[in-house]
């Protein structure tokens, strides 16, 4: 995949995350990295991290912390995402297909529901 595909994948995933910026806080908004966190900081001054997307050397990485906190979410993970899972709550992409784009949007939506239920949004 070319860098353009990485950039396009990054931008597409960022747009999916931007929907939740109204309920979260942007922790990083840079050309190759976008992270969201809880709107309120904890007593230690840190915010709970919701997730983010970043371009790395040859992949686009999506991180979603609600999956880390709720591993039961992995039971319904589609095969298209299981193949791209890296660790407990990260997924690597070199490009996106329409099916994969929909699966990512559904996973981000489910993660937001859990994050909100946990009281972080």
């Amino acid at each position: 995949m070319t860098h353009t595909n990485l950039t396009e994948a990054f931008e597409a995933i960022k747009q999916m995350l931007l929907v939740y910026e109204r309920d979260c806080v942007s922790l990083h908004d840079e050309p190759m990295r976008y992270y969201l966190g809880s709107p309120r900081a904890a007593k230690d001054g840190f915010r709970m991290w919701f997730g983010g997307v970043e371009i790395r050397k040859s992949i686009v990485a999506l991180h979603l912390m609600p999956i880390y906190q709720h591993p039961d979410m992995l039971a319904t993970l589609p095969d298209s995402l299981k193949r791209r899972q890296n660790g407990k709550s990260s997924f690597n992409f070199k490009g996106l297909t329409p099916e994969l784009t929909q699966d990512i949007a559904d996973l981000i939506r489910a993660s937001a529901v859990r994050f909100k239920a946990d009281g972080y949004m």
Side-chain angles (χ1 to χ4, degrees), residues 4-14 53 60 93-96:
T4 302
N5 288 342
L6 295 180
T7 303
E8 289 171 1
F10 170 83
E11 287 300 327
I13 295 171
K14 179 180 177 182
V53 62
V60 173
F93 308 97
K94 291 189 176 190
L96 300 178

PDB file of all heavy atoms in Angstrom, residues 4-14 53 60 93-96:
ATOM      1  N   THR A   4      -0.359   7.192   0.444  1.00  0.00           N
ATOM      2  CA  THR A   4      -1.676   7.781   0.210  1.00  0.00           C
ATOM      3  C   THR A   4      -2.758   6.897   0.822  1.00  0.00           C
ATOM      4  O   THR A   4      -3.680   7.394   1.452  1.00  0.00           O
ATOM      5  CB  THR A   4      -1.928   7.968  -1.300  1.00  0.00           C
ATOM      6  OG1 THR A   4      -0.896   8.792  -1.819  1.00  0.00           O
ATOM      7  CG2 THR A   4      -3.270   8.604  -1.563  1.00  0.00           C
ATOM      8  N   ASN A   5      -2.644   5.589   0.667  1.00  0.00           N
ATOM      9  CA  ASN A   5      -3.626   4.695   1.270  1.00  0.00           C
ATOM     10  C   ASN A   5      -3.608   4.803   2.785  1.00  0.00           C
ATOM     11  O   ASN A   5      -4.644   4.741   3.422  1.00  0.00           O
ATOM     12  CB  ASN A   5      -3.381   3.250   0.840  1.00  0.00           C
ATOM     13  CG  ASN A   5      -3.768   3.019  -0.613  1.00  0.00           C
ATOM     14  OD1 ASN A   5      -4.511   3.794  -1.205  1.00  0.00           O
ATOM     15  ND2 ASN A   5      -3.254   1.961  -1.186  1.00  0.00           N
ATOM     16  N   LEU A   6      -2.422   4.951   3.370  1.00  0.00           N
ATOM     17  CA  LEU A   6      -2.322   5.124   4.818  1.00  0.00           C
ATOM     18  C   LEU A   6      -2.983   6.432   5.230  1.00  0.00           C
ATOM     19  O   LEU A   6      -3.733   6.477   6.202  1.00  0.00           O
ATOM     20  CB  LEU A   6      -0.861   5.101   5.274  1.00  0.00           C
ATOM     21  CG  LEU A   6      -0.104   3.797   5.096  1.00  0.00           C
ATOM     22  CD1 LEU A   6       1.331   3.942   5.602  1.00  0.00           C
ATOM     23  CD2 LEU A   6      -0.799   2.645   5.790  1.00  0.00           C
ATOM     24  N   THR A   7      -2.719   7.480   4.499  1.00  0.00           N
ATOM     25  CA  THR A   7      -3.308   8.780   4.809  1.00  0.00           C
ATOM     26  C   THR A   7      -4.828   8.729   4.667  1.00  0.00           C
ATOM     27  O   THR A   7      -5.553   9.246   5.521  1.00  0.00           O
ATOM     28  CB  THR A   7      -2.722   9.876   3.895  1.00  0.00           C
ATOM     29  OG1 THR A   7      -1.298   9.890   4.054  1.00  0.00           O
ATOM     30  CG2 THR A   7      -3.285  11.236   4.236  1.00  0.00           C
ATOM     31  N   GLU A   8      -5.304   8.096   3.613  1.00  0.00           N
ATOM     32  CA  GLU A   8      -6.755   7.979   3.415  1.00  0.00           C
ATOM     33  C   GLU A   8      -7.390   7.148   4.516  1.00  0.00           C
ATOM     34  O   GLU A   8      -8.464   7.498   5.020  1.00  0.00           O
ATOM     35  CB  GLU A   8      -7.051   7.368   2.048  1.00  0.00           C
ATOM     36  CG  GLU A   8      -6.745   8.298   0.893  1.00  0.00           C
ATOM     37  CD  GLU A   8      -6.824   7.616  -0.467  1.00  0.00           C
ATOM     38  OE1 GLU A   8      -7.145   6.401  -0.519  1.00  0.00           O
ATOM     39  OE2 GLU A   8      -6.554   8.292  -1.469  1.00  0.00           O
ATOM     40  N   ALA A   9      -6.743   6.055   4.909  1.00  0.00           N
ATOM     41  CA  ALA A   9      -7.264   5.219   5.997  1.00  0.00           C
ATOM     42  C   ALA A   9      -7.268   6.000   7.306  1.00  0.00           C
ATOM     43  O   ALA A   9      -8.251   5.968   8.053  1.00  0.00           O
ATOM     44  CB  ALA A   9      -6.429   3.943   6.134  1.00  0.00           C
ATOM     45  N   PHE A  10      -6.190   6.708   7.580  1.00  0.00           N
ATOM     46  CA  PHE A  10      -6.108   7.531   8.787  1.00  0.00           C
ATOM     47  C   PHE A  10      -7.253   8.546   8.813  1.00  0.00           C
ATOM     48  O   PHE A  10      -7.957   8.684   9.813  1.00  0.00           O
ATOM     49  CB  PHE A  10      -4.757   8.253   8.853  1.00  0.00           C
ATOM     50  CG  PHE A  10      -4.681   9.296   9.933  1.00  0.00           C
ATOM     51  CD1 PHE A  10      -4.375   8.936  11.234  1.00  0.00           C
ATOM     52  CD2 PHE A  10      -4.922  10.632   9.649  1.00  0.00           C
ATOM     53  CE1 PHE A  10      -4.313   9.894  12.244  1.00  0.00           C
ATOM     54  CE2 PHE A  10      -4.862  11.601  10.641  1.00  0.00           C
ATOM     55  CZ  PHE A  10      -4.560  11.228  11.947  1.00  0.00           C
ATOM     56  N   GLU A  11      -7.437   9.265   7.724  1.00  0.00           N
ATOM     57  CA  GLU A  11      -8.472  10.303   7.672  1.00  0.00           C
ATOM     58  C   GLU A  11      -9.872   9.707   7.825  1.00  0.00           C
ATOM     59  O   GLU A  11     -10.737  10.287   8.488  1.00  0.00           O
ATOM     60  CB  GLU A  11      -8.369  11.109   6.383  1.00  0.00           C
ATOM     61  CG  GLU A  11      -7.182  12.050   6.348  1.00  0.00           C
ATOM     62  CD  GLU A  11      -7.185  13.095   7.454  1.00  0.00           C
ATOM     63  OE1 GLU A  11      -8.274  13.552   7.886  1.00  0.00           O
ATOM     64  OE2 GLU A  11      -6.089  13.473   7.912  1.00  0.00           O
ATOM     65  N   ALA A  12     -10.100   8.556   7.225  1.00  0.00           N
ATOM     66  CA  ALA A  12     -11.420   7.918   7.336  1.00  0.00           C
ATOM     67  C   ALA A  12     -11.699   7.513   8.780  1.00  0.00           C
ATOM     68  O   ALA A  12     -12.799   7.748   9.304  1.00  0.00           O
ATOM     69  CB  ALA A  12     -11.495   6.707   6.414  1.00  0.00           C
ATOM     70  N   ILE A  13     -10.715   6.915   9.446  1.00  0.00           N
ATOM     71  CA  ILE A  13     -10.911   6.504  10.840  1.00  0.00           C
ATOM     72  C   ILE A  13     -11.013   7.720  11.747  1.00  0.00           C
ATOM     73  O   ILE A  13     -11.836   7.754  12.666  1.00  0.00           O
ATOM     74  CB  ILE A  13      -9.790   5.546  11.281  1.00  0.00           C
ATOM     75  CG1 ILE A  13      -9.866   4.248  10.468  1.00  0.00           C
ATOM     76  CG2 ILE A  13      -9.888   5.255  12.773  1.00  0.00           C
ATOM     77  CD1 ILE A  13      -8.684   3.318  10.651  1.00  0.00           C
ATOM     78  N   LYS A  14     -10.229   8.739  11.467  1.00  0.00           N
ATOM     79  CA  LYS A  14     -10.310   9.972  12.263  1.00  0.00           C
ATOM     80  C   LYS A  14     -11.713  10.566  12.178  1.00  0.00           C
ATOM     81  O   LYS A  14     -12.267  11.020  13.187  1.00  0.00           O
ATOM     82  CB  LYS A  14      -9.269  10.984  11.783  1.00  0.00           C
ATOM     83  CG  LYS A  14      -9.319  12.295  12.558  1.00  0.00           C
ATOM     84  CD  LYS A  14      -8.287  13.290  12.066  1.00  0.00           C
ATOM     85  CE  LYS A  14      -8.422  14.609  12.801  1.00  0.00           C
ATOM     86  NZ  LYS A  14      -7.467  15.621  12.320  1.00  0.00           N
ATOM     87  N   VAL A  53      -6.200   7.165  16.645  1.00  0.00           N
ATOM     88  CA  VAL A  53      -5.681   6.607  15.401  1.00  0.00           C
ATOM     89  C   VAL A  53      -4.371   7.323  15.093  1.00  0.00           C
ATOM     90  O   VAL A  53      -4.212   8.506  15.400  1.00  0.00           O
ATOM     91  CB  VAL A  53      -6.711   6.766  14.248  1.00  0.00           C
ATOM     92  CG1 VAL A  53      -7.022   8.216  13.955  1.00  0.00           C
ATOM     93  CG2 VAL A  53      -6.263   6.029  13.004  1.00  0.00           C
ATOM     94  N   VAL A  60      -1.624   2.008   9.664  1.00  0.00           N
ATOM     95  CA  VAL A  60      -2.461   2.908  10.456  1.00  0.00           C
ATOM     96  C   VAL A  60      -2.927   2.092  11.645  1.00  0.00           C
ATOM     97  O   VAL A  60      -3.447   0.980  11.471  1.00  0.00           O
ATOM     98  CB  VAL A  60      -3.671   3.428   9.640  1.00  0.00           C
ATOM     99  CG1 VAL A  60      -4.611   4.220  10.514  1.00  0.00           C
ATOM    100  CG2 VAL A  60      -3.192   4.261   8.470  1.00  0.00           C
ATOM    101  N   PHE A  93      -3.939  -1.386  10.060  1.00  0.00           N
ATOM    102  CA  PHE A  93      -4.500  -1.352   8.712  1.00  0.00           C
ATOM    103  C   PHE A  93      -3.487  -0.780   7.742  1.00  0.00           C
ATOM    104  O   PHE A  93      -2.711   0.098   8.096  1.00  0.00           O
ATOM    105  CB  PHE A  93      -5.761  -0.475   8.673  1.00  0.00           C
ATOM    106  CG  PHE A  93      -6.778  -0.844   9.714  1.00  0.00           C
ATOM    107  CD1 PHE A  93      -6.835  -0.164  10.916  1.00  0.00           C
ATOM    108  CD2 PHE A  93      -7.659  -1.889   9.489  1.00  0.00           C
ATOM    109  CE1 PHE A  93      -7.763  -0.506  11.891  1.00  0.00           C
ATOM    110  CE2 PHE A  93      -8.589  -2.238  10.458  1.00  0.00           C
ATOM    111  CZ  PHE A  93      -8.637  -1.547  11.658  1.00  0.00           C
ATOM    112  N   LYS A  94      -3.538  -1.266   6.503  1.00  0.00           N
ATOM    113  CA  LYS A  94      -2.739  -0.693   5.422  1.00  0.00           C
ATOM    114  C   LYS A  94      -3.638   0.016   4.419  1.00  0.00           C
ATOM    115  O   LYS A  94      -3.167   0.731   3.561  1.00  0.00           O
ATOM    116  CB  LYS A  94      -1.902  -1.764   4.739  1.00  0.00           C
ATOM    117  CG  LYS A  94      -0.802  -2.279   5.632  1.00  0.00           C
ATOM    118  CD  LYS A  94       0.139  -3.166   4.882  1.00  0.00           C
ATOM    119  CE  LYS A  94       1.274  -3.572   5.809  1.00  0.00           C
ATOM    120  NZ  LYS A  94       2.347  -4.239   5.117  1.00  0.00           N
ATOM    121  N   GLY A  95      -4.907  -0.211   4.542  1.00  0.00           N
ATOM    122  CA  GLY A  95      -5.908   0.394   3.678  1.00  0.00           C
ATOM    123  C   GLY A  95      -7.269  -0.079   4.146  1.00  0.00           C
ATOM    124  O   GLY A  95      -7.360  -0.926   5.035  1.00  0.00           O
ATOM    125  N   LEU A  96      -8.314   0.490   3.583  1.00  0.00           N
ATOM    126  CA  LEU A  96      -9.668   0.144   4.009  1.00  0.00           C
ATOM    127  C   LEU A  96     -10.520  -0.279   2.824  1.00  0.00           C
ATOM    128  O   LEU A  96     -10.377   0.249   1.731  1.00  0.00           O
ATOM    129  CB  LEU A  96     -10.331   1.345   4.692  1.00  0.00           C
ATOM    130  CG  LEU A  96      -9.664   1.897   5.941  1.00  0.00           C
ATOM    131  CD1 LEU A  96     -10.437   3.111   6.453  1.00  0.00           C
ATOM    132  CD2 LEU A  96      -9.553   0.841   7.014  1.00  0.00           C
TER     133      LEU A  96
END
